[in-house]
Amino acid sequence: IIAIARNADPVNPRDDFTAQVMQKISDLQPGREITRNDCALCFLTAAYFHFIMGIVFMLIFKKISADMPLPLWLTVQPQIAMLTGAGFMFFGILMLRKNMTAMRLAELGILIYMGFVLINGITVYKSLGTAGAAGMIWLTGGGILTGLFLGTILQEYRRGIVI
């Protein structure tokens, strides 16, 4: 690899290369207006996370349930994660529309999500007892933070548009 690097032809960037890179960096700084694509991307990223979490839960619970029985509410967590991912995907696609109904539906979805995360965390904690307390605190806290983040992004998007 060193020999290839030494024998490679030198690259001479254009004179304005540094200025162009610095301009792109300054475009990413906080304070720029949130676009509908930014908002949709946040919802789609949350959807992707929940789909992956559902798959991981399926694999883990399949292995654990072979060794010992699991509480019913715990066994449906993969499906809940997948359904949540589908909901976030719906809201992400909905965010590409520039209308107040889409934003209100997304806000309602975020509130329902945060409430369900809290109720789900309490229910799983009660079914597991102290054995799963740490995990449920992290998952519930992460879910609440996800809802707060999506709500903040949605509010910033709403502040920057005129319908």
Side-chain angles (χ1 to χ4, degrees):
I1 294 175
I2 294 171
I4 293 172
R6 285 186 182 156
N7 295 333
D9 294 331
V11 176
N12 295 319
R14 298 184 313 219
D15 291 338
D16 64 341
F17 177 75
T18 302
Q20 285 181 347
V21 169
M22 296 308 289
Q23 179 61 42
K24 288 182 180 181
I25 290 172
S26 68
D27 289 345
L28 298 175
Q29 296 300 316
R32 83 174 174 89
E33 193 172 284
I34 302 288
T35 66
R36 67 182 175 175
N37 289 339
D38 295 333
C39 196
L41 180 65
C42 289
F43 278 91
L44 293 174
T45 302
Y48 178 72
F49 168 76
H50 281 82
F51 284 133
I52 296 298
M53 185 170 63
I55 291 169
V56 169
F57 281 171
M58 277 185 207
L59 295 173
I60 290 172
F61 293 162
K62 184 177 180 181
K63 185 173 177 90
I64 291 174
S65 66
D67 297 333
M68 62 185 213
L70 293 173
L72 177 64
W73 192 249
L74 194 61
T75 61
V76 297
Q77 293 305 305
Q79 292 83 357
I80 290 172
M82 294 285 205
L83 188 61
T84 302
F88 280 138
M89 183 179 292
F90 170 75
F91 291 125
I93 293 168
L94 198 62
M95 282 294 94
L96 294 175
R97 300 183 56 142
K98 194 174 181 179
N99 65 41
M100 288 302 288
T101 304
M103 283 184 267
R104 286 190 182 119
L105 281 174
E107 286 175 341
L108 180 63
I110 291 169
L111 290 174
I112 291 170
Y113 168 74
M114 290 174 62
F116 185 76
V117 163
L118 193 58
I119 292 167
N120 186 47
I122 292 168
T123 305
V124 172
Y125 172 74
K126 286 189 177 269
S127 66
L128 289 178
T130 56
M136 285 320 302
I137 289 171
W138 282 105
L139 284 174
T140 303
I144 297 295
L145 288 175
T146 299
L148 291 172
F149 171 75
L150 290 172
T152 302
I153 291 295
L154 190 58
Q155 289 302 315
E156 289 297 317
Y157 171 58
R158 181 185 247 188
R159 192 175 304 153
I161 65 168
V162 177
I163 295 180

